[in-house]
Amino acid sequence: MSNGTNKEQNCVTLIGMPGAGKSSVGRYLAKALKLRFHDTDDDLERCENATLQTIMDTKGLDYFRALEESLLLNIDFQSEVIATGGSVIYSQPLMTKLKALGPVVFLDVPLLTLQDRVAQDAPRGMAKSQNTSYEELYQQRHPLYCAWADITIDCSDSAKPETIADAIAKLLRD
């Protein structure tokens, strides 16, 4: 990676809404860049020995966000593509750390596409209040994703994850 955002740790962080494809794109991007792949949702589930949905249902939003921040701040990320949970953008210390590791890439997917994807999936333990709709969550988060991103990828054409990963890899190499 030689785009001026390359950092010593050589990481790329993917941010975006639940359903944006961070894990799917991340796996392909890691292969393309010859880096390891790291899904932070897996860290949370391993730590609690529970699914994200169960953590949210039993311990609540505040606990979830505090766990996410403390756990991820203590991981030594190196030479990996990091697929984050959608709520990482609420933590300034965490996002500051991730930005220091390398470029932060926002997978910007239109709301209607996201809603269709999420409706087809099993409940995914979104970090949100129970009375907050997905659309409201999108409206809250979208400006934060834009603000934290070094690179924003327009995913409005519903390209396949490998196509999006290839486009990101090309951007990072240029």
Side-chain angles (χ1 to χ4, degrees), residues 3 14 25 28-29 32-33 105 107 151-155 157 159-174:
N3 65 344
L14 301 179
V25 170
Y28 287 107
L29 183 58
L33 297 175
V105 179
L107 301 183
I151 300 168
T152 297
I153 300 296
D154 179 352
C155 299
D157 64 0
K160 293 182 178 180
E162 53 267 41
T163 305
I164 295 168
D166 288 344
I168 296 167
K170 184 179 182 327
L171 275 173
L172 294 174
R173 289 185 188 119
D174 290 345

Side-chain angles (χ1 to χ4, degrees), residues 7-26:
K7 306 287 196 297
E8 197 173 300
Q9 290 83 358
N10 200 33
C11 292
V12 178
T13 299
L14 301 179
I15 60 172
M17 286 292 290
K22 299 177 298 286
S23 297
S24 300
V25 170

Side-chain angles (χ1 to χ4, degrees), residues 109-127:
V109 180
L111 176 60
L112 291 176
T113 302
L114 290 166
Q115 287 173 318
D116 286 346
R117 290 179 187 174
V118 170
Q120 294 172 19
D121 290 345
R124 47 174 65 228
M126 282 182 239

